[in-house]
Amino acid sequence: MSTHVAVEIATQPDCWHRASTLAKEVAPVLPRPGERVAVVGCGTSWFMAQSYAWLREATGQGFTDAFAASEFPGARDYDRIVAITRSGTTSEVLDLLESVTVPTLALTADGTTPVVDAADDVVVLDFADEVSVVQTRFATSALALLRTSLGEDLTPAIADASAAVGLALRPEWTSATQITFLGRGWTVGLAHEAALKMREAAGAWTESYPAMDYRHGPISVTAPGRLAWMFGSAPEGLAGDVEATGGTFVTSGLDPMAGLVVAQRLAVHIAEAAGLNPDQPRHLTRSVILS
């Protein structure tokens, strides 16, 4: 029987399409060009915030920072704060939204939770909500919505996600003893998220870094039977550096977000091969609610 997370991973192409359509409908409440914006979240949501922040600045939309909600620097001047929160109940996110005076927007999967009252505006992606504790389709759907809001046509990415759902997982991937995920620019957030999925679902040894920083120490962990997995275009010479360690360099022509779908599937595969339930990771709950 399929796990919830496996089913949820497979629905991402449809979810991204719906998120792209929704982006056009909710455009009036999304960040406006020229606004100084802070994007916050916890865990997976923070990594999606990192990717969006980089893309928003790169497309000339305005100054954009990303923070873990618990580390928001209150002294900085922003025009809007965007919070990404699947559950709508995460304590650090709610505390932040209730403490600031600038306009706030929350992206959430559940429109009946406390974040609806805590934020000035709310965009609900209920079609991307999840049963599994491990977060996959909500996070990528939120990023799909935000990428569309920046003027990007996600049609190619959605097609790549459909391909990613059916892509065969190679034996050298499924048997790897360690994986280091790498990114550049907006894909650094995706690399961090891929590593988190592997740790959450499979309890596996994974690390993540900006690709150019990988040579500055982290490459020392790469060896035969281990992977260096790149999201997006690799820096010149990096593949050769990885091959020199005896490790395997993994790259793809897929849209990097579709590449994340492959990594999600790999995490589930490794978890199930180890006899673990990827829907219920050790020590984790759907939302962190602090007393």
Side-chain angles (χ1 to χ4, degrees), residues 82 91 103 109 126 164 172 220 271:
V82 178
S91 293
D126 50 5
E172 61 266 33
S220 62

Side-chain angles (χ1 to χ4, degrees), residues 207-228:
E207 301 181 7
S208 54
Y209 303 95
M212 290 298 289
D213 209 52
Y214 170 67
R215 298 181 178 99
H216 295 270
I219 194 172
S220 62
V221 305
T222 307
R226 297 178 180 177
L227 310 179

Side-chain angles (χ1 to χ4, degrees), residues 88 94 97-98 104 111-122:
L94 294 177
L97 292 176
E98 291 167 352
T104 57
T112 66
T113 55
V115 76
V116 174
D117 295 323
D120 296 315
D121 293 298
V122 179

Side-chain angles (χ1 to χ4, degrees), residues 77-161:
D77 184 22
Y78 293 105
D79 299 311
R80 188 181 305 271
I81 296 173
V82 178
I84 305 174
T85 169
R86 176 181 67 170
S87 69
T89 60
T90 303
S91 293
E92 297 99 306
V93 172
L94 294 177
D95 289 347
L96 171 59
L97 292 176
E98 291 167 352
S99 69
V100 296
T101 56
V102 299
T104 57
L105 165 68
L107 305 184
T108 187
D110 190 340
T112 66
T113 55
V115 76
V116 174
D117 295 323
D120 296 315
D121 293 298
V122 179
V123 173
V124 180
L125 294 83
D126 50 5
F127 55 84
D129 202 357
E130 296 154 330
V131 175
S132 178
V133 168
V134 171
Q135 189 176 164
T136 55
R137 70 182 181 188
F138 171 74
T140 60
S141 296
L143 186 54
L145 181 146
L146 293 169
R147 288 176 67 181
T148 302
S149 76
L150 297 176
E152 187 172 355
D153 178 7
L154 280 203
T155 302
I158 293 168
D160 281 353

Side-chain angles (χ1 to χ4, degrees), residues 44 46-48 50-51 183 185-194 260:
T44 290
W46 177 33
F47 300 143
M48 298 301 102
Q50 291 174 1
S51 291
W186 75 280
T187 69
V188 173
L190 301 185
H192 291 329
E193 171 58 8
L260 177 59

